[in-house]
Amino acid sequence: MVKRAPTEVSDRVRRLLRLSDELESVSDEAAAILKATRRLRKGGQNFSAQSCQTLLGVHETVFEFAQTVSCLIKSPRPRFDLAALQANSHDIGGCIHDARGKQLSRVGSDDPDSPVRVLTELDILNAYERIRSCYINMAETLAGCK
């Protein structure tokens, strides 16, 4: 650039770059979830009914949160309650933490393949935690906090 950009323009560019970086991170995590699922199935295993229910519950919760933030990204001048979104994000983090604890408690000596399956499930839950984190970062960026 030949000229200096006004502060307002450079701030907007920084926010857009941060949003695009966070969206790229979300796509990387989605790919990690798919890769973990494929790796488990290639090993001849499947999720148990209980694990499937837990993972789908976490998915739905994170997906609803992602939809809320995505609507804000699409809006030209979003107005929202950041504190409410942060509280919701915190609750989702607690839900994921509880799901992790349940999955770890399912490792047992009666099922020799359970450690591999549970570790895969934990990898998926960790990916959902990172996705949640990306979306709260996007909301904070839109609010001007980051």
Side-chain angles (χ1 to χ4, degrees):
M1 292 181 62
V2 178
K3 296 182 181 179
R4 292 189 109 180
T7 304
E8 182 180 303
V9 172
S10 61
D11 288 344
R12 181 162 171 75
V13 168
R14 270 192 222 96
R15 283 194 307 269
L16 289 172
L17 285 172
R18 183 170 178 98
L19 289 173
S20 65
D21 182 55
E22 294 293 349
L23 286 169
E24 181 183 7
S25 296
V26 167
S27 70
D28 291 344
E29 295 304 330
I33 292 169
L34 181 61
K35 186 177 178 181
T37 303
R38 284 183 177 166
R39 185 176 60 235
L40 182 70
R41 291 191 177 143
K42 260 188 179 175
Q45 297 187 43
N46 283 317
F47 299 110
S48 68
Q50 185 180 6
S51 292
C52 196
Q53 183 180 2
T54 299
L55 292 172
L56 287 174
V58 167
H59 171 81
E60 285 299 317
T61 305
V62 172
F63 178 71
E64 288 173 10
F65 184 69
Q67 278 186 313
T68 301
V69 176
S70 293
C71 288
L72 298 173
I73 292 170
K74 293 175 186 177
S75 176
R77 301 221 189 289
R79 294 186 188 273
F80 59 96
D81 184 4
L82 180 61
L85 278 177
Q86 288 172 326
N88 188 11
S89 174
H90 185 267
D91 292 343
I92 293 168
C95 171
I96 293 171
H97 180 75
D98 293 344
R100 265 195 223 113
K102 288 178 188 174
Q103 295 306 95
L104 277 173
S105 69
R106 295 184 57 240
V107 175
S109 58
D110 56 330
D111 183 3
D113 292 330
S114 67
V116 172
R117 189 174 52 251
V118 169
L119 283 174
T120 300
E121 294 162 358
L122 291 174
D123 287 345
I124 292 171
L125 288 170
N126 289 336
Y128 277 117
E129 172 63 26
R130 289 187 295 270
I131 290 171
R132 179 207 58 84
S133 178
C134 288
Y135 275 102
I136 195 62
N137 286 342
M138 286 184 243
E140 291 170 347
T141 299
L142 289 170
C145 296
K146 288 196 172 189

